[in-house]
Amino acid sequence: QVQLVESGGGLVQRGGSLRLSCVASGLAMNSYVMRWFRQAPGQEREWVATINPDEGTRIGTAAMKGRAVISRDNTKNTVYLQIKNLEPEDTAIYFCAAAAASGDTVYWGKGIMVTVSA
């Protein structure tokens, strides 16, 4: 019973900030590569960020470099995505995903909506 549950979304004003969290259960997150994706209305899903078990990180959206930070707390089995200086273009459903480094199985959360007002 693997489950990923995102939280922390909602309506944010332009220029504001938020912190998304994803709590994993049914897996040992400390051994998983964790990622955030997002899908804007009418758009394809895109990769946002990755954090490895050794806490090495990658930001996949050029426009978010300098604005987004991905982190993890293995004691809480939680991965975070902090975004500052939000723009309306950041409006999307944000998903977290977990992948074991040794396998091709990926677990997905249901997603959480982030809406940035102009």
Side-chain angles (χ1 to χ4, degrees):
Q1 187 179 349
V2 174
Q3 188 172 354
L4 306 177
V5 180
E6 301 96 339
S7 63
L11 177 63
V12 184
Q13 291 182 323
R14 178 182 180 182
S17 63
L18 56 71
R19 185 196 198 194
L20 302 177
S21 65
C22 174
V23 179
S25 61
L27 59 82
M29 201 192 73
N30 64 334
S31 65
Y32 279 74
V33 177
M34 303 298 297
R35 296 181 175 90
W36 286 95
F37 295 81
R38 69 182 183 182
Q39 186 168 20
Q43 303 296 318
E44 296 182 348
R45 185 182 64 190
E46 66 175 343
W47 167 54
V48 175
T50 294
I51 185 165
N52 297 317
D54 65 359
E55 300 194 2
T57 62
R58 298 279 195 279
I59 303 298
T61 304
M64 293 183 63
K65 292 182 178 179
R67 299 195 296 119
V69 176
I70 185 171
S71 61
R72 65 195 299 158
D73 185 343
N74 292 330
T75 66
K76 298 180 179 180
N77 231 32
T78 301
V79 63
Y80 304 95
L81 180 68
Q82 293 180 268
I83 311 173
K84 65 180 181 180
N85 197 23
L86 286 159
E87 300 287 344
E89 291 75 18
D90 296 318
T91 295
I93 301 175
Y94 286 72
F95 302 87
C96 70
S102 60
D104 58 0
T105 300
V106 179
Y107 300 100
W108 292 88
K110 295 297 183 181
I112 188 74
M113 186 70 197
V114 173
T115 302
V116 183
S117 63

